[in-house]
Amino acid sequence: MSNKIHVSTKVNGDAVEFLCDPRETLLDVLRDRLNLTGAKEGCGTGDCGACSVTVDGRLICSCLMLGAEAEGKEIGTIEGVAEGGELHPLQRKFIEHAALQCGVCTPGILVAAKNLLEKNPDPTEEQVRYWLAGNLCRCTGYDKIIRAVLDAAEEMRGAA
Amino acid sequence: MALDEVKEIVESGENYDTDKEFKYVGTRPDRPDGLDKVTGRAKYGADHYVANMLHAAVLRAPHAHARIVSIDTSKAEAADGVKAVVIGTDLPEGLTGGDLHLQENTLARDKVYYDGHAVAAVAATSALAAKDAVKLIEVEYELLPHVIDVDAAMAEGAPVIREGEQGPTVPEGMHPNVVNYIEFGHGDLDAGFDAADLVMENTYKTEATHQGYIEPHACVGQLGDDGKGEMWVCTQGQWFIRKMCAAVLGLEASNLRVTPSEIGGGFGGKTTIFSEAISLALSRKAGGRPVKLVMTRSEVLRATGPTASTSMDVKIGMKNDGTMTAGKVVFRMQGGAWPDMAPTGMALNCAFASYDLPAVYHEGYDVLANRPKAAAYRAPGSPMAAFAVESLVDEMTRKLGLDPIEVRIKNGAKEGTKSSYGPTYKKIGLLECLEAAKAHPNLAEKLGPNQGRGVAAGFWFNHGGETSVSMSLGNDGTVTVSAGTPDIGGSRASVALMVAETLGIPYDHVRVNIVETGALGFNEPSHGSRATFATGKAAVEACNQAIGEMCRRAAKRWGIDEDAVEWKDGAVHPAGPNAGEFPPMTIKKIGQTMGRSGGPISGHHETTAGGVGESFGAHVVDVEVDPETGKTTILRYLVVQDAGRAIHPSYVEGQYQGGAAQGIGWALNEEYVYDDMGRLQNPIFLDYRVPVASDLPMIDTVIIEVPNPGHPYGVRGVGETGITPPLPAIANAIADATGRRLRHLPMTPAKVLKAIKNG
Ligand code: FES
Ligand code: FES
């Protein structure tokens, strides 16, 4: 088992190095090697979004990217969404709006929604629904999730 | 559930005064576990890592029905990193009944019964090594004829799936795949149909759907040579898992300690075991090293939880004014290759539960098919029953030119109605729901071309069940509650609210922990919409016990009679004419001094919770059907449901919305699709498509509160009823929009288009 690949990357701003099997996905590496278990594996096929992270600012399913491809990249995960111990407005609004029930989809949805608001600070309901169409939630029917995202966007616009 | 059991649960129970004003109950504070869950800190089933841990992978059969001729595991055993391999014959022999069935489903012994049935498993030093090793296992199969469809499975000449499983009530001469038969009813059915102006009957079918929780099953099991072990697992019920795993492995349940992780959805599918016992079996073989077993999504879809598929006949009699005179149903349901897995009895019980009918008759067949062993799915049986009955009621209502809500109000069950399944209802809220639906602004919206509106009612019994709760007072006057029902959608918050209300202390002075099997007596799972009801009720009683003790301590300190004090607003007060003047002794003060006043103060309550209040709801949906493609779009969706009392209204609304969304998926998209070899064709989320955010509108909710006298705060369970009405409500809306009646779910664009084209 000597065919491991050495990877240097940045996760949530911190320099990180790891060895991984060429077949390991970025999600496997985050969870099994870096102890960052906030991203979840709901499907492993790019269909549920529970594993959502950003790579150089782009939203991706970490189950579809190999760990080895993280070389030289900047990875953003749910663990980095709250900055300096202060919750991101989306995180606060998700709690306030009861936008989670079981909560297993929540990390992926928060990462995806944050990425949306960075690109589009004033999305319509429809834009939020289509942006999050790759993030399955089986518990909530999405109603409270959409409201929380719209409310967070409004608050962030007010603060900006 | 047996009928007399249902009756006993409904009719037992005390009467609480539920007409009080509340300070905390009914408010919407942040949930206590919210912070962990928005930061990624919360630990779910697959998030547990322990020292020296191995990883498991499971080999699954690619055949619907086959005899296992031989299994050769030698190459896998010799592979790099492999520490243990198990197959079905490694598990103890001699089990019977439900335990045997669990064991057969855990690892096939002689036969595989469905595509995806587990045949062997490997534990290795890494997940990749385990997956590689599994591919080295060689299994020789002798293929057997299979059957998938429920009607085909009952027909003459269908392949026999099991011998000797037919129950004593099954009518003579039926195919051996029919393993159970139920019939019951009351009233004079013939007279009922004779009294009707319109009698109609039709046949309806629903396909199997999956609970679709986003978190796959995951556990870490550890079992030593001494037969003692531990498990970390995502489950709705740690005591159920313990009992079932122990049974499969031939152990006493007391030898296992099971800790529930946070749970990423269950909807009934995590009340039983699938592969959990494999992790323990592997661990024992690997010298007691802990073994992590995490299912893939396709394993989840192929081998866990789906609900039954059904074929249902309904016959109803109605007078010209809409009065229903009689109803009859015959349901055929398959729940996989094991008996008693299809919720046939519950479906029958639910069929006419929303109606006050003079004559009803129910017949049900439990049928085997080469499909996975079905598990509970939110209101098991009720959505299918509602699809059949509520579709036909709607059809007749339209034929007679009547209003669908008025017909349901006219015939709706209420306090004092003898229900279709036996018990007489106490206070229930169906009529209140229907009236509120009628008054909702959505009904004033005008419909355009190709648009339609559908209405349906829904029902669930709710459940109490075995429950045990502890609470203890801290030195700072805060309270810690130990509960045994995993928090699957905000129940920590609702229990904390009830405890805060009972004690008169702030909500954030209450911490609710979900504990492992060693920390409390037996608890049934979070199922049957019981968590907030039963755990809440037991927590209130545990608090009352502690209040009694706190009152005694204060009275002793003050040197007055125990009866001369009372508990109010988080403190003991002197009460009555001769109590004397003392400043109130607060819970904080009592907590600070309890070491000196007699030791720790705690409260405990265990019960098989009675006083369950039934749950009713009414849904109204507006759809638009594209005549070119047959695609149905949900324009508006309204859920009205009786919560008894909403402890945390946001999470009650969440249950309504989530149930509706699952029902919408069931109605429009979701189904198990098999090829002619009996292999599941859509075992990934791309093809087993659950509703996504862009499929749905906002889901409007109205919470009706007809307090349940059997709960100190009037709670009825709210989790399940919401999945029931969407199936018929959407079918009724499509009929309104297109003039075509679809009687076979799901109502995919292809099926709708065909109905439009063929008339
Ligand atoms: S786990 Fe990556 S999309 Fe589902
Ligand atoms: S809250 Fe459970 S899947 Fe979204």
Side-chain angles (χ1 to χ4, degrees), chain A residues 31-50:
Chain A
R31 293 177 53 83
D32 300 342
R33 299 195 181 272
L34 304 179
N35 297 322
L36 295 170
T37 56
K40 309 296 179 194
E41 180 163 322
C43 68
T45 53
D47 298 312
C48 79

Side-chain angles (χ1 to χ4, degrees), chain B residues 150-221:
Chain B
V150 60
D151 290 318
M154 295 175 74
E156 215 185 301
V160 176
I161 296 173
R162 295 168 169 273
E163 299 279 5
E165 291 283 2
Q166 203 160 53
T169 58
V170 177
E172 194 110 354
M174 296 214 71
H175 192 286
N177 291 343
V178 180
V179 285
N180 261 308
Y181 174 77
I182 311 167
E183 60 159 342
F184 62 92
H186 60 77
D188 185 337
L189 202 66
D190 291 336
F193 286 125
D194 285 346
D197 297 310
L198 177 66
V199 176
M200 283 181 70
E201 56 184 313
N202 262 312
T203 299
Y204 301 82
K205 287 191 93 157
T206 65
E207 292 303 325
T209 55
H210 195 275
Q211 294 81 347
Y213 30 82
I214 304 302
E215 180 200 31
H217 299 263
C219 65
V220 179

Side-chain angles (χ1 to χ4, degrees), chain A residues 27 40-52 61-64 134, chain B residues 685:
Chain A
L27 179 61
K40 309 296 179 194
E41 180 163 322
C43 68
T45 53
D47 298 312
C48 79
C51 64
S52 297
C61 295
S62 61
C63 71
L64 294 184
Chain B
F685 270 147

Side-chain angles (χ1 to χ4, degrees), chain B residues 399-483:
Chain B
K399 199 155 196 162
L400 295 173
L402 301 169
D403 178 82
I405 298 188
E406 294 299 347
V407 165
R408 286 175 175 83
I409 291 174
K410 189 175 207 94
N411 297 287
K414 49 188 173 294
E415 187 171 2
T417 297
K418 181 179 166 59
S419 69
S420 57
Y421 57 99
T424 298
Y425 292 127
K426 291 187 180 172
K427 266 185 162 179
I428 54 171
L430 174 61
L431 298 188
E432 288 81 350
C433 290
L434 290 163
E435 292 289 352
K438 199 167 78 174
H440 193 274
N442 282 13
L443 276 89
E445 296 282 343
K446 290 264 171 297
L447 296 173
N450 303 314
Q451 298 184 348
R453 178 165 295 154
V455 174
F459 163 80
W460 186 245
F461 312 94
N462 288 336
H463 182 51
E466 288 180 73
T467 310
S468 157
V469 170
S470 284
M471 59 77 76
S472 61
L473 178 61
N475 286 119
D476 56 356
T478 66
V479 160
T480 299
V481 178
S482 297

